[in-house]
C-alpha cells in the first residue's frame, strides 16, 4: 500500500512538472489558433480567399492585371512561384484568347499563429475561349501559406495539388 502511494505521488509530481514545462514552452498561447480563435480564423480565410480570387482569375486581354495582383498580395517565394505559372498561362492564353474566372467554394485554416497561416482553398475555375466561346469548369485545390504584415495577410507560398 505504501509503495502504491509513493508511485501515485511520483506520477502526480511528474505530471505537474510536465504540464508546467509545456505551458512555459508555449508561452501560454496554443500551437494552432485556428482551433480556438474564431475571429482570427475568419479574418485569414477572408483575406486569403480574396487574394486567391485576384491571382487565379485571368483575362488574356489584360494580363498585366494578374501581374499587378501578384505584386499587391504575394511575397517571395510565393510571388516567384506565381509568376512562373503566369508565364506558362500567358503563352497559352493569347493564342486561345483565354479567360479564367475563379470562385472560392470553400476555405479552411490548417494552421494559424499570430503571424503565420496555412489555408486550404477549394476553387472552381471556369475557362472561356473567346475565339469559339467554349467554356469548361474544373475544380482546383491550393494550399496557400501567408504571413501577417502590417495587419494584412500576404501569401508567401503556393502549393498546388
Amino acid at each position: 500500500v505504501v509503495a502504491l502511494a509513493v508511485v501515485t505521488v511520483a506520477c502526480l509530481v511528474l505530471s505537474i512538472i510536465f504540464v508546467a514545462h509545456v505551458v512555459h514552452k508555449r508561452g501560454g498561447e496554443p500551437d494552432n489558433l485556428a482551433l480556438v480563435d474564431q475571429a482570427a480564423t475568419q479574418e485569414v480565410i477572408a483575406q486569403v480567399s480574396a487574394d486567391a480570387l485576384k491571382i487565379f482569375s485571368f483575362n488574356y486581354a489584360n494580363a498585366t492585371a494578374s501581374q499587378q495582383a501578384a505584386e499587391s498580395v504575394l511575397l517571395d517565394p510565393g510571388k516567384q512561384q506565381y509568376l512562373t505559372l503566369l508565364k506558362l498561362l500567358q503563352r497559352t492564353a493569347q493564342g486561345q484568347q483565354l479567360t479564367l474566372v475563379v470562385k472560392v467554394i470553400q476555405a479552411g485554416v490548417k494552421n494559424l499563429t499570430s503571424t503565420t497561416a496555412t489555408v486550404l482553398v477549394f476553387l472552381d475555375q471556369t475557362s472561356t475561349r473567346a475565339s469559339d466561346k467554349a467554356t469548361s469548369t474544373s475544380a482546383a485545390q491550393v494550399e496557400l501559406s501567408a504571413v501577417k504584415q502590417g495587419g494584412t495577410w500576404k501569401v508567401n507560398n503556393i502549393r498546388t495539388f
Side-chain angles (χ1 to χ4, degrees), residues 76-97:
D76 285 327
K79 186 185 297 184
Q80 295 309 313
Q81 293 165 332
Y82 175 77
L83 292 175
T84 299
L85 293 171
L86 183 62
K87 285 178 187 175
L88 294 171
L89 178 61
Q90 285 174 323
R91 286 184 201 146
T92 305
Q94 281 297 352
Q96 295 184 14
Q97 298 178 329

Side-chain angles (χ1 to χ4, degrees), residues 41 44-57 73-75 77-79 81-82 85 102-104 106-113 115-123 125 140-148 153-161:
T41 301
V44 73
I45 286 173
Q47 287 186 24
V48 170
S49 293
D51 293 348
L53 291 175
K54 289 177 188 174
I55 63 175
F56 293 119
S57 293
V73 302
L74 297 173
L75 299 173
K79 186 185 297 184
Q81 293 165 332
Y82 175 77
L85 293 171
V102 173
K103 179 180 177 184
V104 174
Q106 186 70 281
V109 178
K110 183 176 170 182
N111 192 36
L112 176 63
T113 70
T115 58
T116 63
T118 304
V119 181
L120 187 60
V121 183
F122 294 90
L123 307 164
Q125 282 186 313
Q141 306 90 31
V142 291
E143 182 180 271
L144 302 174
S145 298
V147 294
K148 196 167 193 179
W153 290 98
K154 301 274 188 173
V155 174
N156 69 336
N157 193 44
I158 301 169
R159 183 172 164 226
T160 57
F161 298 96

